[in-house]
Amino acid sequence: MWRRSQVLTDLEFYEIRYAGKAASFVRGFRSVYLGFFFNCVIMASVNLAAVKIANVLLGWPMWQTLLICALLNVAFAATSGLWGVLVTDFIQFGIAMTGSFAAAYFALKQPQVGGLSGLFHQIPPKTLNLLPDFGDWRTALAVLIIPITIQWWSVWYPGAEPGGGSYIAQRMLASKSEKDALSGTLFFNIAHYALRPWPWIIVALSSMIVYPHLSDIARTFPYVDRTLIGHDMAYPAMLRFLPVGFMGLMVAGLLAAYVSTLSTHLNWGTSYLVHDFYRRFLKPGKDERHYVAVGRLVTALLMLAAALLTFELQSAKRSFDLMLSVGAGTGLIYLLRWFWWRINAWSEVAAMVSSFLVAVAFFIAGKMGPEVSPYVSLVSTVGITTVVWVAVTYLTRPTDRSTLVAFYKLVRPAGPGWTDIRAEAGVGTSPDSLAQALLGWVLGCVFVYAALFGAGRT
């Protein structure tokens, strides 16, 4: 459906699905909200990981790492564009995976670990269980129950949007055909969830034996900034066991992974800010050379803002929890807007504003008193946001009929949510089968996770 919409960025979707000033407002608002504010939080969390790795491996202070990485990424993203990012992503994935497998191999070779058999004998059995201990409901809720029952359909963050937007849509829109978009997205999920995690898991388990306490990391690396030491520093601390040559490859792999992620976000954010805000609302009708020049300037400013924000972050987990809470409750509307004609632009505005305000309220409450459990704030935000946007949907006027008919003719979504519009459009039924799509979704999830645990078993 993204391919059939014929848009250049996923924000153009709003002005073919909705109509009037509300549609333009949502497009402009989300271009700034996502392209700048949300995007900078994501890039800052990635910067934080780079800072911690460079502090351990190279002894660099935060400012030096951020300066070098900013110059590298801006030069890369501003000159290569989307095509350059796609090609180099493929090469960088190979480099990064080679380095991560080497890290896992040499972690297991350490005498304290004693190979896979030694690792399994020393790690507490419950750590290796497929399912969490349901006697510890706090952990079980956080890592299994909430993700399976609530999080997958209700929470939005770039790369995991129920409606398939953000830079996932960017990749699908840049592909040659619907078939290429589908197969490319499936391959991404296999590589991301089935191939990539195991070397990291092995290194993480080994680090629990080599560095049982954070004080062990601090003692082993006395030059490391104490403010940066946390559980997310265990991985770079394990890389000291790599021999010369492999260490260089690993640094190159980490740098490749970092550049791959940042260049994706810089291109994604710049496309929103330039194409969907600057070009659409501020300076329409200019030649392409003008927009390219503005895009390069915006790329540099985005990197600068993300680097400055990095100084305010403390851990990768905290920033990830913040992103989840800000996007909580909006995921369902991004999914249902494809399948239910009644959702309008004000539904999306209500979802975004309410989720943001509730997340900020929980954040402030945590700062002023006892910290609220992440899963409590997540579920509460989902519930409040869903009630708000459903109420707004029924209290506001629906999108005008002509826009809905034109959207159906273009995208032809399946399901009962478009029955009346489908009859008015007069172009026949959808080429999709909702039942087959749901079956394909279930089988795709089973295939990916079976591949994950199958790879681990071998």
Side-chain angles (χ1 to χ4, degrees):
M1 289 189 287
W2 276 114
R3 288 284 308 167
R4 291 178 211 149
S5 68
Q6 300 177 11
V7 295
L8 182 63
T9 69
D10 61 319
L11 293 188
E12 287 184 56
F13 168 89
Y14 292 105
E15 292 189 300
I16 64 170
R17 173 62 176 83
Y18 310 126
K21 294 182 178 179
S24 299
F25 173 79
V26 175
R27 181 179 179 181
F29 175 79
R30 281 183 67 81
S31 63
V32 177
Y33 175 68
L34 299 181
F36 183 72
F37 293 104
F38 211 96
N39 197 29
C40 283
V41 173
I42 299 170
M43 290 193 292
S45 65
V46 178
N47 283 340
L48 182 64
V51 163
K52 294 194 174 190
I53 291 170
N55 198 215
V56 170
L57 296 183
L58 306 173
W60 289 356
M62 181 181 285
W63 69 265
Q64 184 178 353
T65 302
L66 290 175
L67 177 62
I68 293 173
C69 288
L71 293 174
L72 178 66
N73 278 290
V74 169
F76 189 93
T79 55
S80 69
L82 179 59
W83 178 247
V85 171
L86 290 172
V87 173
T88 52
D89 267 5
F90 186 77
I91 300 171
Q92 290 167 341
F93 179 76
I95 297 172
M97 285 301 298
T98 302
S100 62
F101 271 103
Y105 174 80
F106 287 105
L108 292 174
K109 295 284 286 183
Q110 298 311 303
Q112 307 99 302
V113 180
L116 275 176
S117 59
L119 178 66
F120 292 147
H121 279 97
Q122 295 183 71
I123 290 292
K126 67 177 183 179
T127 305
L128 302 174
N129 288 344
L130 172 63
L131 298 176
D133 179 9
F134 288 97
D136 179 6
W137 275 101
R138 185 183 182 91
T139 301
L141 281 171
V143 304
L144 181 69
I145 297 174
I146 289 177
I148 287 180
T149 58
I150 297 175
Q151 188 172 313
W152 69 267
W153 57 264
S154 65
V155 176
W156 177 95
Y157 64 94
E161 180 185 314
S166 67
Y167 54 78
I168 302 299
Q170 182 189 55
R171 298 296 197 260
M172 292 188 286
L173 295 171
S175 58
K176 291 182 179 180
S177 66
E178 286 183 38
K179 183 178 179 180
D180 290 322
L182 182 64
S183 58
T185 305
L186 179 60
F187 174 74
F188 163 75
N189 281 281
I190 295 170
H192 184 55
Y193 291 109
L195 298 180
R196 199 170 68 162
W198 276 112
W200 292 359
I201 293 170
I202 291 172
V203 174
L205 293 173
S206 300
S207 73
M208 295 172 66
I209 299 172
V210 178
Y211 306 110
H213 307 287
L214 291 179
S215 57
D216 297 312
I217 298 178
R219 186 169 54 255
T220 306
F221 302 94
Y223 55 85
V224 167
D225 186 345
R226 292 297 184 270
T227 62
L228 296 177
I229 292 179
H231 295 291
D232 52 355
M233 193 171 264
Y235 188 90
M238 289 296 293
L239 300 182
R240 71 186 181 95
F241 300 119
L242 288 169
V244 174
F246 275 108
M247 175 65 83
L249 180 66
M250 189 66 208
V251 171
L254 291 169
L255 183 62
Y258 171 76
V259 171
S260 171
T261 303
L262 262 292
S263 60
T264 294
H265 279 277
L266 287 171
N267 272 279
W268 174 59
T270 300
S271 69
Y272 276 11
L273 292 171
V274 175
H275 181 74
D276 293 294
F277 184 74
Y278 181 82
R279 183 175 192 164
R280 171 66 179 82
F281 298 103
L282 300 182
K283 294 288 184 179
K286 298 288 185 178
D287 59 44
E288 291 301 318
R289 183 173 295 182
H290 172 81
Y291 295 121
V292 170
V294 173
R296 288 173 173 161
L297 176 62
V298 170
T299 299
L301 293 177
L302 276 175
M303 190 67 221
L304 177 62
L308 294 175
L309 182 59
T310 307
F311 287 95
E312 300 301 319
L313 298 182
Q314 295 177 335
S315 71
K317 182 182 183 302
R318 182 161 295 184
S319 60
F320 184 70
D321 287 340
L322 178 61
M323 285 188 288
L324 287 184
S325 63
V326 170
T330 60
L332 184 61
I333 197 171
Y334 299 142
L335 183 62
L336 290 183
R337 65 188 182 182
W338 294 98
F339 300 103
W340 186 28
W341 70 274
R342 188 61 179 83
I343 290 175
N344 59 39
W346 296 117
S347 307
E348 296 212 21
V349 173
M352 285 186 294
V353 172
S354 58
S355 66
F356 179 79
L357 292 178
V358 175
V360 169
F362 274 113
F363 180 78
I364 294 173
K367 289 288 187 182
M368 297 178 63
E371 186 173 356
V372 181
S373 174
Y375 67 81
V376 172
S377 63
L378 181 74
V379 173
S380 301
T381 306
V382 169
I384 295 170
T385 301
T386 302
V387 169
V388 169
W389 76 253
V390 170
V392 169
T393 299
Y394 282 106
L395 291 172
T396 53
R397 294 170 59 88
T399 303
D400 68 75
R401 214 69 172 176
S402 61
T403 300
L404 293 172
V405 169
F407 177 79
Y408 180 81
K409 289 180 178 179
L410 189 65
V411 178
R412 291 170 295 160
W418 291 87
T419 301
D420 294 340
I421 306 297
R422 187 179 294 118
E424 289 184 38
V427 292
T429 60
S430 169
D432 303 328
S433 165
L434 194 57
Q436 288 184 358
L438 290 171
L439 177 62
W441 164 62
V442 172
L443 293 178
C445 290
V446 171
F447 171 68
V448 170
Y449 283 100
L452 169 66
F453 294 110
R457 184 65 178 172
T458 57

